[in-house]
C-alpha cells in the first residue's frame, strides 16, 4: 500500500507509521488521517506485526493539529463531517487489538494531542509540548480531545487545559499522567521499540483481550467486568494458556510466537 502523507515500515515485527509533513509541522489533513486509519487496519490484520508506533517526521513536531488551511472555509456540515471522520480514525487507533505507542517527538497540539491520546501508551522526548489550543481558533477539540483528556489527566486539569489552551511541556505532561515516559530524542524510537518488544514476548491473545477489556471500561454499551469474566474464561481454551502454564511449571520462558 502506498501513501501520500505518511511513511510506513515493518522492521523486526514492529510497524512504524511516520507522519510525513515536516514543513507543515505534520499537520493532519483529511487524506493523512485516512491513511493512518488504513495503515493501522493493515497492521492489525498482518500476523507479522506485533506492535505499532506512530510518530512525526523531523525533530520538532509529532503533529501540530488538524490542518487549519484545509478547514478554514468549512461550513457547519463540513465541520461535523471533519469531526466524525476524525473520531473514526482515533477510534481505530484506540480499539486496535495490537499495542500502539505514540513516539511524541515534538509538538502534539490539537488533533496531534488527540492522536497521541488515542494511542495506548505515550513516550515523549523532552522537547514535546502538549495542548488543545482549539479555543484560540473559535473551535473546540473535534477528535475526542474533550473526552480522552479527562480520562488521562482527570476533570479539573482537563478543564484548565481545554479552556486556557495552555501548552504544557513533557515534564508537566509526565507529572499529569498524559505521558508514560520521557526519553532523549535520540533514544525515543528505540525506547518505543523496547516497550513493544517487551509486550510482544507476552501472550498475544492475552494482550488483545486486555486491550479490549480496558476499552470496554470506556464503552457505555459494554460492561467491563462482564467482558473480563468472559475473556478470562476464554483464555483457558487457548494453546497460549497451555504454553504459559507449562513453561512456568517446567521453569522455562514461554514461547508464544512459534
Ligand atoms: N495546520 C496547518 N498548518 C500548520 C499547522 C496546522 N495545525 N501548524 C503549523 N502549520 C504550518 C504553518 O502554517 C507553517 O506553514 P508555512 O511555512 O507555509 O507558513 C509551518 O507549519 C511551520 O509552522 P510555524 O508556525 O511557522 O512554526 P513555529 O515553530 O513558529 O510554531 C507551532 C510552531 C506548532 C507553535 C505553530 O505552528 C502553531 O501554533 N500551530 C497551530 C497549532 C494549533 O492551533 N493546532 C490546532 C489546530 S485545530
Amino acid at each position: 500500500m502506498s501513501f501520500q502523507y505518511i511513511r510506513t515500515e515493518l522492521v523486526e515485527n514492529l510497524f512504524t507509521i511516520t507522519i510525513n509533513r515536516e514543513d507543515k509541522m505534520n499537520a493532519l489533513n483529511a487524506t493523512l488521517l485516512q491513511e493512518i486509519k488504513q495503515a493501522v487496519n493493515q497492521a492489525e490484520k498482518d500476523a507479522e506485526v506485533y506492535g505499532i508506533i506512530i510518530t512525526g517526521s523531523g525533530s520538532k513536531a509529532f503533529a501540530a493539529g488538524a490542518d487549519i488551511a484545509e478547514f478554514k472555509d468549512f461550513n457547519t456540515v463540513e465541520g461535523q463531517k471533519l469531526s466524525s471522520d476524525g473520531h473514526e480514525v482515533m477510534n481505530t487507533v484506540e480499539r486496535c487489538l495490537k499495542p500502539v505507542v505514540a513516539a511524541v517527538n515534538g509538538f502534539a497540539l490539537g488533533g496531534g494531542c488527540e492522536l497521541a491520546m488515542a494511542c495506548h501508551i505515550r513516550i515523549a522526548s523532552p522537547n514535546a509540548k502538549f495542548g488543545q489550543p482549539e479555543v484560540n481558533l473559535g473551535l473546540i477539540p473535534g477528535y475526542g480531545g474533550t473526552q480522552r483528556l479527562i480520562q488521562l489527566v482527570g476533570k479539573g486539569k482537563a478543564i484548565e487545559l481545554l479552556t486556557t489552551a495552555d501548552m504544557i511541556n513533557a515534564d508537566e505532561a509526565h507529572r499529569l499522567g498524559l505521558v508514560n515516559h520521557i526519553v532523549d530524542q535520540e533514544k525515543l524510537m528505540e525506547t518505543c521499540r523496547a516497550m513493544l518488544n517487551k509486550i510482544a514476548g507476552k501472550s498475544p491473545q492475552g494482550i488483545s483481550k486486555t486491550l479490549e477489556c480496558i476499552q470496554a471500561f470506556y464503552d457505555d454499551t459494554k460492561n467491563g467486568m462482564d467482558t473480563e469474566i468472559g475473556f478470562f474464561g476464554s483464555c483457558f481454551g487457548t494453546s497460549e494458556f497451555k504454553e504459559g502454564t507449562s513453561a512456568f511449571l517446567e521453569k522455562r520462558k514461554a514461547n508464544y510466537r512459534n
Side-chain angles (χ1 to χ4, degrees):
M1 204 175 281
S2 75
F3 297 108
Q4 191 179 354
Y5 294 113
I6 61 172
R7 288 194 314 266
T8 61
E9 60 173 356
L10 175 61
V11 177
E12 291 173 354
N13 303 103
L14 299 181
F15 188 81
T16 301
I17 298 170
T18 305
I19 302 163
N20 199 21
R21 289 189 84 199
E22 194 177 343
D23 59 329
K24 295 290 178 192
M25 294 280 163
N26 296 320
L28 307 167
N29 62 32
T31 305
L32 192 159
L33 280 173
Q34 289 308 310
E35 290 182 354
I36 291 177
K37 185 166 108 179
Q38 285 166 24
V40 170
N41 279 330
Q42 173 194 326
E44 190 179 26
K45 280 192 225 116
D46 185 344
E48 292 300 307
V49 174
Y50 298 170
I52 300 167
I53 299 170
I54 302 181
T55 193
S57 58
S59 57
K60 283 193 181 159
F62 174 74
D67 188 334
I68 299 168
E70 185 179 60
F71 67 60
K72 68 180 179 20
D73 296 321
F74 277 11
N75 60 29
T76 52
V77 174
E78 290 166 318
Q80 192 162 341
K81 180 166 180 345
L82 179 71
S83 179
S84 68
D85 288 350
H87 270 262
E88 261 186 47
V89 177
M90 302 305 154
N91 289 341
T92 300
V93 173
E94 185 171 58
R95 293 174 191 167
C96 181
L97 295 180
K98 291 176 179 170
V100 186
V101 174
V104 185
N105 56 313
F107 289 109
L109 303 175
C113 188
E114 290 167 304
L115 176 61
M117 291 194 291
C119 294
H120 300 137
I121 290 170
R122 283 148 295 283
I123 301 181
S125 52
N127 66 321
K129 290 210 163 53
F130 295 80
Q132 296 289 160
E134 286 85 351
V135 291
N136 288 333
L137 300 168
L139 280 173
I140 64 167
Y143 301 160
T146 61
Q147 308 299 298
R148 290 194 180 92
L149 194 59
I150 299 170
Q151 293 165 5
L152 285 164
V153 307
K155 183 178 170 188
K157 203 65 200 181
I159 290 175
E160 181 183 332
L161 293 173
L162 292 163
T163 56
T164 62
D166 278 351
M167 247 191 250
I168 56 171
N169 64 22
D171 281 335
E172 177 72 348
H174 186 236
R175 203 182 60 75
L176 292 174
L178 185 54
V179 155
N180 296 61
H181 301 281
I182 304 174
V183 291
D184 287 344
Q185 190 147 54
E186 24 334 330
K187 297 248 167 78
L188 183 59
M189 293 310 285
E190 79 181 67
T191 306
C192 293
R193 295 183 71 83
M195 168 80 74
L196 285 172
N197 280 328
K198 184 190 271 192
I199 298 170
K202 317 298 177 195
S203 155
Q205 60 89 30
I207 298 301
S208 299
K209 285 171 180 155
T210 300
L211 291 173
E212 216 168 335
C213 285
I214 291 165
Q215 196 48 43
F217 177 85
Y218 298 105
D219 185 339
D220 288 342
T221 67
K222 291 189 178 143
N223 178 307
M225 296 296 186
D226 288 344
T227 304
E228 182 182 284
I229 292 167
F231 280 149
F232 181 79
S234 72
C235 289
F236 286 76
T238 66
S239 56
E240 290 180 20
F241 167 72
K242 300 260 176 304
E243 167 62 9
T245 48
S246 307
F248 175 80
L249 294 171
E250 292 161 16
K251 302 192 187 305
R252 62 174 173 85
K253 195 174 180 311
N255 182 356
Y256 297 109
R257 299 280 185 183
N258 271 339

